[in-house]
């Protein structure tokens, strides 16, 4: 196997083998840019190292020695030589760039003899010793894990003793002393002399870079960015050029455009007389690249010329590292620059307008999830750096929020009314907290998963939420949070990041963004290319309007029960539940009907002709009742009944396993009057909206069907009620009746069900729950470990699990369409806004996906990408 490639043997398409850095060094070499020469050890060699008991195979070592000899010949220098020695850098370079996460060693090849050779060939003694002390420090730190601070201490002491303000003040003699002290530190720590054999230095350095693939920060970075852990890193051995040779030398980094805004203007920093990490290390404050124009106009012009060449070549914004050695410019790295979502959009729109790329390419370049950043306010990255992390929970609903913590919904409402910024913190939320959630800037819970009530509702509202933050002990009675030995009391500030799950102490500054200009232009291209519809999950006119602003083309799921919790109607809801006989129940339902009619009227108006999928009552009834004695007593008093009677009813309704209990269409089968009331309310709402001059397209959806007979019984009841209302009003509205497919048996018998359904909507939350047999309220306890241990690739409640659950969806789609070729298919689970799941839906032939309002743009982009 070929494990080692010279730069002139590779190209940019070989990043899998050579890593991003190596592939681009090769590419730049090919297009004739001034790149110091060298060679790349492949990622395969790294993986082989890991498979081979952490040993570098002899075959690899031989190939490295061959390439090194070749490099020595070309450069006319020899590693470790006492005259004109070759020095190299040993640089990590993964397939997907992980800036700063892995290790690099500079000036390798220096030892007590070759430093003399370097002085000889450069006539620069200070520079030579400066390079040597840098090498000892970096090698010790990276290859031998000697703590950096031990070296920093020596430097600091020396500077203090001599009254220097900067490293630049160190004299040659100082540096000689430092080199000796550094070697002593090495000997004390490792128990051996600093290695003088340059080949040994090289092999140890290569191994250190291999190992750095698995250092903790690299692992964290990969997790955050969804980069597989088995790719390995390549190693680049490159001859050194020196930015620390004096005042006509320097080093820097520049982006061809501004990475925060996308502005088409060179953006960067550099330092004179410096090397490598100095620019980012913060020891000296670097200068803006604009200053280079005055300081070294010729270098600046050459550099600008190269940056333009590189951007044109890669057709994307580049992040470029350069070094100037005695007035000669070298390019050390280029890559597609990391950028904010805002910059990403501005860059692709610019590139399309300039004719560099086409619209399809532009669409493929934006990571759909990245759009989230644009839809929610976020923390100012600078402020975040100094913020103190308290704990980490699940990133349940993106955005950032800062506020004073309150532990009860009423308190949140009250203080928000007084103009305070409020965070609602709960052990877990219940539907009754909804008002508090509306008033709060954000929601933080100690329990509950990504599909918990708090999470679903928060996403619907576009409100930031961190859920399941298990490190927190939320004591609602004492009104405080305990976390380790810290206590946060009511009224103190916390800041939460719903995109990362991080909870910070105190208040962190925010930045917000608008959805105009290039974002709009870009989303129009998305819609031109997209051919699957995107709807929204919305329970009220406010959310529906928001979703339409974001481009929703209909409602895919309106959960009627969310309306039941509102303050003015909960008494009637409870009356209905308590009712012991049909008459009492109908009486209570009659009180509810006007409310529901207005709900639907409002939603139909907001949607103005766009299809509205309304789901009939779904949750088990006990969810609407209080459970502790005090609340039961209070409610009984309000309702004018005996607490014991109410208590009895609560106990009656209690279920061992409510998720598999008396809910969904099972409620309608046993209490048909509830379903009939809702059908009437939908029809009456439709009539009102029609009379207002709106077109109305209701789709009535029966939840949780597992047997065709359920739908066979319910469909006629619904139709009868709806038709009767239309006749009464003398208005005719086209509507459909269909079902949610969320029980595995329904998937398997979808052909039967399709006979009586006008549409299917896949409820993939329940389908995942029942398909895997994972309670979604409890799965948080083990799913994390399932993912860590590789049993599952992803949390199946976040990313649709395609092999099993997806198979069920495909089966239902095929069986259903086999009976009814035009059967309308959609998805309304949380997966409807997750890019890979959206692609799956497209490939399965679904007519639409539906997701919470703030994910609509993401789903639109993902749907467009699926068609490209
Ligand atoms: P990272 O991946 O963390 O950016 P690099 O491998 O790019 O690490 O190395 C960090 C810095 O070291 C580079 O930006 C460059 O300034 C310096 N460097 C690396 N190789 C050389 C070299 N051959 N000559 C001069 N400087 C180098
Ligand atoms: Mg770099
Ligand atoms: Mg369901």
């Amino acid at each position: 196997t070929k494990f080692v490639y010279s730069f002139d043997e590779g190209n940019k398409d070989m990043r899998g083998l050579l890593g991003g850095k190596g592939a681009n060094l090769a590419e730049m070499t090919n297009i004739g840019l001034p790149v110091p020469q060298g060679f790349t050890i492949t990622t395969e060699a790294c993986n082989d190292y890991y498979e081979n008991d952490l040993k570098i195979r002899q075959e690899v070592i031989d190939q490295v020695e061959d390439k090194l000899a070749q490099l020595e010949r070309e450069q006319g220098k020899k590693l470790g030589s006492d005259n004109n020695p070759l020095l190299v850098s040993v640089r990590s370079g993964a397939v997907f760039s992980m800036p700063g996460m892995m290790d690099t060693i500079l000036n390798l090849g220096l030892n007590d003899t070759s430093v003399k050779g370097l002085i000889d060939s450069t006539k620069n003694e200070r520079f030579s010793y400066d390079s040597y002390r840098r090498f000892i420090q970096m090698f010790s730190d990276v290859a031998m894990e000697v703590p950096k601070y031990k070296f920093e201490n020596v430097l600091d002491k020396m500077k203090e003793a001599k009254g220097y303000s900067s490293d630049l003040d160190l004299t040659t003699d100082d540096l000689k002393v430092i080199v000796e002290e550094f070697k002593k530190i090495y000997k004390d720590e490792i128990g051996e002399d600093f290695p003088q054999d340059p080949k040994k230095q090289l092999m140890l350095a290569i191994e250190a870079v291999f190992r750095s693939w698995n250092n903790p920060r690299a692992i964290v970075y990969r997790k955050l960015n969804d980069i597989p852990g088995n790719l390995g890193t390549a190693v680049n051995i490159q001859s050194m050029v020196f930015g620390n040779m004096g005042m006509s030398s320097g080093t820097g980094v520049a982006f061809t455009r501004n990475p925060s805004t996308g502005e088409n203007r060179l953006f960067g920093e550099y330092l004179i007389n410096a090397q490598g990490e100095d620019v980012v290390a913060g020891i000296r404050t670097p200068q803006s690249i604009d200053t280079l124009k005055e300081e070294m106009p010729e270098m600046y012009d050459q550099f600008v010329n190269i940056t333009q060449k590189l951007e044109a070549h890669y057709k994307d914004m580049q992040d470029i590292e350069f070094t100037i050695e005695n007035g000669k410019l070298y390019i050390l790295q280029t890559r597609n620059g990391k950028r904010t979502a805002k910059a990403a959009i501005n860059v692709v729109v610019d590139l399309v307008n300039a004719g560099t790329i086409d619209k399809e390419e532009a669409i493929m370049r934006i990571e759909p999830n990245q759009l989230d950043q644009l839809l929610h306010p976020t923390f100012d990255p600078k402020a975040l750096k100094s913020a103190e992390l308290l704990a980490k929970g699940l990133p349940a609903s993106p955005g950032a929020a800062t506020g004073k913590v309150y532990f009860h919904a009423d308190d949140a409402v009250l203080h928000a009314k007084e103009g305070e910024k409020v965070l609602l913190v709960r052990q877990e939320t219940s539907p009754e907290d909804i008002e508090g959630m509306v008033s709060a800037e954000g929601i933080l819970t100690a329990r509950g998963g990504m599909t918990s009530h708090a999470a679903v509702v928060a996403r619907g509202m576009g409100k930031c939420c961190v859920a399941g933050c298990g490190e927190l002990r939320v004591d609602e009675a004492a009104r405080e949070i305990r976390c380790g030995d810290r206590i946060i009391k009511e009224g103190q500030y916390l800041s939460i990041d719903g995109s990362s799950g991080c909870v910070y102490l105190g208040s962190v500054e925010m930045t917000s963004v608008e959805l105009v200009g290039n974002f709009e232009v870009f989303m129009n291209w998305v819609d031109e290319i997209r051919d699957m519809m995107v709807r929204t999950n919305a329970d009220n006119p406010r959310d529906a309007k928001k979703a339409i602003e974001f481009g929703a083309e209909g409602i895919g799921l309106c959960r009627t029960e969310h309306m039941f919790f509102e303050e003015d109607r909960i008494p009637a809801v409870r009356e209905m539940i308590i009712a012991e006989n049909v008459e009492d129940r109908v009486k209570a339902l009659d009180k509810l009907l006007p409310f529901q009619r207005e709900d639907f009227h409002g939603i139909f108006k907001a949607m103005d002709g766009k299809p509205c999928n309304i789901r009939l009552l779904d949750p088990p009834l006990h969810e609407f009742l209080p459970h502790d004695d005090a609340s039961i007593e209070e409610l009984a008093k309000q309702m004018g009944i005996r607490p014991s009677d109410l208590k009895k009813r609560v106990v009656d309704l209690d279920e061992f396993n409510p998720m598999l209990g008396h809910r969904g269409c099972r409620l309608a089968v046993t209490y048909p009057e509830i379903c009939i009331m809702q059908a009437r309310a939908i029809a009456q709402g439709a009539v009102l909206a029609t009379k207002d001059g709106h077109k109305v397209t209701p789709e009535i959806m029966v939840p949780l069907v597992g047997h065709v007979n359920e739908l066979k019984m319910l469909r006629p009841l619904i139709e009868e009620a709806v038709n009767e209302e239309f006749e009464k009003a003398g208005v005719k509205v086209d509507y459909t009746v269909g079902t949610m497919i969320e029980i595995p048996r329904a998937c398997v018998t979808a052909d039967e069900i399709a006979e009586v359904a006008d549409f299917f909507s896949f409820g993939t939350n329940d389908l995942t729950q029942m398909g895997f047999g994972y309670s979604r309220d409890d799965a948080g306890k083990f799913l994390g470990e399932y993912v860590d241990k590789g049993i599952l690739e992803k949390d199946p409640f976040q990313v649709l699990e395609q092999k099993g659950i997806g198979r069920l969806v495909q089966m239902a789609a095929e069986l259903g369409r086999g009976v009814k070729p035009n059967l309308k298919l959609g998805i309304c689970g949380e997966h409807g806004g997750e890019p890979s799941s959206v692609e799956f839906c497209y490939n399965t032939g679904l007519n639409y996906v539906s997701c919470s309002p703030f994910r609509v743009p993401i789903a639109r982009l993902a749907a467009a990408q699926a068609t490209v």
Side-chain angles (χ1 to χ4, degrees):
T1 328
K2 187 171 168 61
F3 285 114
V4 185
Y5 289 72
S6 299
F7 290 169
D8 59 10
E9 292 176 312
N11 64 57
K12 72 175 180 347
D13 301 320
M14 292 169 72
R15 51 187 314 137
L17 199 58
L18 304 181
K21 196 180 287 166
N24 287 336
L25 285 169
E27 185 78 8
M28 291 195 290
T29 301
N30 293 340
I31 59 176
L33 297 185
V35 175
Q37 280 309 288
F39 52 89
T40 303
I41 306 169
T42 63
T43 53
E44 276 177 8
C46 175
N47 292 329
D48 184 73
Y49 166 79
Y50 278 104
E51 280 156 28
N52 193 22
D53 272 342
L54 305 185
K55 271 197 225 52
I56 302 179
R57 191 182 286 280
Q58 189 58 43
E59 195 184 343
V60 176
I61 298 175
D62 293 344
Q63 290 187 28
V64 167
E65 288 186 348
D66 275 359
K67 287 293 181 195
L68 179 64
Q70 187 189 328
L71 186 64
E72 287 175 332
R73 277 196 305 277
E74 285 165 8
Q75 303 285 313
K77 297 178 180 179
K78 255 189 144 28
L79 204 66
S81 148
D82 62 3
N83 74 74
N84 203 13
L86 174 68
L87 302 191
V88 295
S89 61
V90 179
R91 315 174 65 187
S92 58
V95 179
F96 300 104
S97 102
M98 302 170 38
M101 294 301 125
M102 290 183 301
D103 292 323
T104 284
I105 295 175
L106 304 181
N107 306 328
L108 187 136
L110 278 174
N111 58 23
D112 295 348
T113 338
S114 64
V115 73
K116 301 264 158 48
L118 190 64
I119 296 169
D120 226 35
S121 63
T122 60
K123 308 284 175 262
N124 192 335
E125 199 179 11
R126 185 188 180 282
F127 148 78
S128 302
Y129 280 103
D130 184 50
S131 302
Y132 195 17
R133 65 99 186 166
R134 286 170 186 269
F135 172 55
I136 299 172
Q137 174 171 356
M138 266 188 145
F139 182 88
S140 306
D141 167 31
V142 171
M144 309 309 289
E145 291 169 27
V146 181
K148 246 194 221 155
Y149 74 87
K150 303 218 168 192
F151 300 97
E152 298 292 346
N153 282 351
V154 171
L155 275 179
D156 289 345
K157 258 196 223 129
M158 172 73 88
K159 282 193 283 184
E160 205 185 293
K162 305 252 171 172
Y164 300 154
S165 60
S166 141
D167 291 359
L168 289 183
D169 301 330
L170 295 166
T171 64
T172 308
D173 287 338
D174 296 336
L175 289 165
K176 280 186 186 165
V177 173
I178 288 170
V179 162
E180 287 313 312
E181 294 207 23
F182 277 15
K183 285 197 289 194
K184 216 181 291 154
I185 296 176
Y186 184 94
K187 180 146 196 198
D188 287 348
E189 290 288 319
I190 305 297
E192 276 174 34
D193 283 328
F194 186 78
Q196 294 289 315
D197 173 3
K199 292 249 167 87
K200 183 173 171 199
Q201 293 174 352
L202 181 62
M203 292 321 292
L204 286 170
I206 291 170
E207 201 179 334
V209 172
F210 283 163
R211 274 200 316 267
S212 74
W213 172 253
N214 274 333
N215 75 30
R217 63 179 194 276
I219 292 174
V220 169
Y221 186 89
R222 287 200 291 271
K223 255 199 177 157
L224 278 174
N225 291 281
D226 246 340
I227 299 172
N230 59 0
L231 298 175
T233 180
V235 184
N236 301 288
I237 315 291
Q238 185 175 31
S239 56
M240 285 298 299
V241 290
F242 301 101
N244 56 334
M245 270 206 178
M247 298 316 280
S248 58
S249 301
T251 183
V253 182
F255 289 79
T256 54
R257 296 169 191 240
N258 183 312
S260 325
T261 63
E263 189 196 357
N264 190 2
R265 185 160 178 277
L266 197 62
F267 174 94
E269 294 175 326
Y270 73 102
L271 274 176
I272 291 295
N273 196 9
Q275 189 176 55
E277 312 285 71
D278 291 2
V279 176
V280 282
I283 309 168
R284 283 157 61 197
T285 312
Q287 288 173 287
S288 156
I289 196 81
D290 296 333
T291 328
L292 188 66
K293 195 176 191 163
E294 282 124 48
E295 277 197 340
M296 300 185 181
E298 209 177 307
M299 289 292 99
Y300 180 81
D301 288 345
Q302 274 182 33
F303 182 59
V304 167
N305 195 289
I306 288 176
T307 63
Q308 287 167 352
K309 213 177 196 171
L310 279 172
E311 189 179 286
H313 186 75
Y314 285 93
K315 301 185 196 305
D316 199 356
M317 171 179 118
Q318 296 297 297
D319 166 0
I320 301 164
E321 296 175 356
F322 66 96
T323 283
I324 299 167
E325 177 185 304
N326 280 333
K328 181 160 175 14
L329 175 67
Y330 294 93
I331 304 298
L332 293 174
Q333 187 175 351
T334 193
R335 65 180 157 216
N336 294 340
K338 302 250 179 251
R339 61 203 84 177
T340 63
K342 183 177 172 185
I345 298 270
N346 286 337
V347 168
V348 294
V349 170
D350 253 22
L351 291 175
V352 171
N353 289 341
T356 311
I357 60 174
D358 59 18
K359 291 176 188 174
E360 278 81 4
E361 173 68 26
I363 282 167
M364 292 315 286
R365 282 207 190 161
I366 306 290
E367 160 62 41
N369 282 323
Q370 216 192 357
L371 293 183
D372 235 18
Q373 275 182 33
L374 295 179
L375 309 175
H376 303 270
T378 51
F379 288 125
D380 179 8
K382 274 203 211 105
L384 260 195
K385 275 198 191 130
S386 53
E388 191 179 343
L389 185 70
L390 176 68
K392 199 158 180 213
L394 297 168
S397 178
T402 279
K404 295 185 178 174
V405 299
Y406 288 96
F407 299 97
H408 298 274
D410 319 345
D411 294 335
V413 173
L414 195 77
H415 287 92
K417 273 202 189 120
E418 288 168 359
E420 285 179 23
K421 292 211 179 303
V422 164
L423 285 187
L424 179 64
V425 182
R426 303 280 292 160
Q427 188 64 17
E428 61 200 321
T429 63
S430 83
E432 274 148 287
D433 294 333
I434 183 87
E435 268 189 287
M437 296 174 73
V438 171
S439 312
E441 302 293 312
I443 299 131
L444 171 62
T445 73
R447 272 200 231 135
M450 296 289 286
T451 56
S452 65
H453 178 262
V456 172
V457 173
R459 280 196 292 273
M461 297 193 291
K463 194 148 284 195
C464 158
C465 174
V466 172
C469 192
E471 293 160 66
L472 304 183
R473 295 277 152 272
V474 177
D475 189 335
E476 287 160 6
R479 294 169 191 259
E480 60 182 34
I481 304 169
R482 264 162 296 151
C483 179
D485 48 11
R486 274 184 200 285
I487 297 184
I488 293 99
K489 295 205 173 292
E490 184 174 87
Q492 289 185 322
Y493 275 101
L494 284 183
S495 299
I496 62 175
D497 184 336
S499 311
S500 67
C502 290
V503 179
Y504 301 95
L505 284 170
S507 79
V508 179
E509 254 180 80
M510 317 248 269
T511 57
S512 73
V513 255
E514 302 120 65
L515 305 183
V516 287
N518 282 343
F519 180 80
E520 221 177 335
V521 171
F522 177 77
M523 290 311 289
N524 286 337
W525 297 341
V526 164
D527 290 342
E528 273 171 36
I529 287 167
R530 176 171 64 92
D531 59 11
M532 178 169 65
M533 307 279 273
V534 175
R535 295 195 192 184
T536 189
N537 299 350
D539 307 331
N540 55 53
R542 188 191 63 232
D543 292 354
K545 279 198 197 109
K546 183 96 235 163
I548 290 173
E549 276 171 38
F550 285 146
E553 295 163 299
I555 289 180
L557 177 63
C558 173
R559 301 170 170 98
T560 47
E561 63 270 15
H562 283 184
M563 306 162 168
F564 280 23
F565 284 110
E566 270 163 48
E567 211 176 337
D568 46 358
R569 56 190 84 175
I570 189 94
V573 172
R574 285 169 169 166
E575 243 175 76
M576 162 191 91
I577 296 169
I578 307 296
E580 306 229 9
N581 53 54
V582 179
E583 279 126 73
D584 286 353
R585 192 154 38 244
V586 169
K587 238 186 266 163
L589 285 167
D590 284 345
K591 289 188 202 164
L592 272 179
L593 189 133
F595 288 119
Q596 288 253 281
R597 174 172 62 220
E598 270 320 302
D599 293 333
F600 297 132
H601 181 195
I603 286 180
F604 290 142
K605 275 204 298 201
M607 293 313 285
D608 198 21
K610 297 185 172 69
C612 283
N613 179 317
I614 296 166
R615 179 179 71 181
L616 301 179
L617 192 64
D618 184 56
L621 296 180
H622 73 87
E623 278 194 12
F624 299 93
L625 294 179
H627 287 89
D628 61 294
D629 285 346
S631 318
I632 289 178
E633 200 145 318
E634 198 184 310
L635 180 61
K637 207 158 44 174
Q638 275 172 26
M639 297 179 71
I641 57 175
R642 278 208 302 267
S644 58
D645 287 349
L646 181 57
K647 174 108 194 197
K648 181 171 174 298
R649 191 66 184 140
V650 170
V651 172
D652 278 350
L653 286 171
D654 205 29
E655 294 179 309
F656 285 108
N657 196 343
M659 273 296 175
L660 302 177
H662 195 182
R663 55 175 285 227
C665 67
R666 302 157 201 172
L667 287 169
V669 168
T670 49
Y671 305 126
E673 49 284 357
I674 299 180
C675 155
I676 291 169
M677 179 282 284
Q678 288 201 300
R680 282 191 198 286
I682 293 169
Q684 291 178 7
V687 166
L688 290 176
T690 307
K691 286 188 172 160
D692 293 340
H694 294 281
K695 190 174 164 338
V696 184
T697 320
E699 301 172 347
I700 301 174
M701 178 157 76
V702 179
L704 221 67
V705 166
H707 196 293
V708 63
N709 287 344
E710 291 168 320
L711 198 57
K712 273 191 180 154
M713 177 199 149
L714 294 172
R715 180 169 183 135
L717 294 184
I718 295 164
E719 283 176 330
E720 200 179 316
V722 170
N723 294 342
E724 203 179 294
E725 291 301 328
F726 287 163
E727 266 159 45
K728 244 195 289 181
V731 170
K732 183 146 172 36
V733 173
D734 287 329
Y735 70 99
T736 51
V737 179
T739 179
M740 202 143 158
I741 299 286
E742 51 188 335
I743 289 185
R745 190 183 183 283
C747 296
V748 178
T749 59
D751 45 350
E752 286 181 10
I753 296 172
E755 304 267 9
V756 272
D758 301 324
F759 61 83
F760 287 170
S761 173
F762 291 99
T764 47
N765 296 346
D766 263 314
L767 193 59
T768 300
Q769 167 163 269
M770 297 195 226
F772 268 109
Y774 295 160
S775 155
R776 64 171 134 141
D777 295 315
D778 301 307
K781 283 187 193 148
F782 56 84
L783 276 184
E785 242 181 281
Y786 265 49
V787 173
D788 286 345
K789 294 190 169 150
I791 292 174
L792 294 177
E793 203 181 318
K794 297 267 168 65
D795 177 344
F797 289 105
Q798 289 177 36
V799 178
L800 184 71
E801 188 280 312
Q802 299 185 6
K803 243 196 186 143
I805 307 303
R807 187 79 204 284
L808 287 167
V809 172
Q810 279 166 340
M811 183 187 288
E814 276 162 31
L815 287 173
R817 290 242 171 99
V819 172
K820 258 187 200 160
N822 291 326
L823 186 70
K824 193 188 269 184
L825 301 176
I827 177 177
C828 61
E830 289 293 307
H831 304 104
E834 191 283 313
S836 70
S837 312
V838 171
E839 185 183 9
F840 172 83
C841 291
Y842 179 79
N843 294 333
T844 307
L846 267 54
N847 300 84
Y848 68 86
V849 295
S850 186
C851 55
S852 53
F854 280 80
R855 293 201 75 84
V856 166
I858 296 166
R860 282 159 70 198
L861 176 53
Q865 289 185 346
T867 69
V868 173

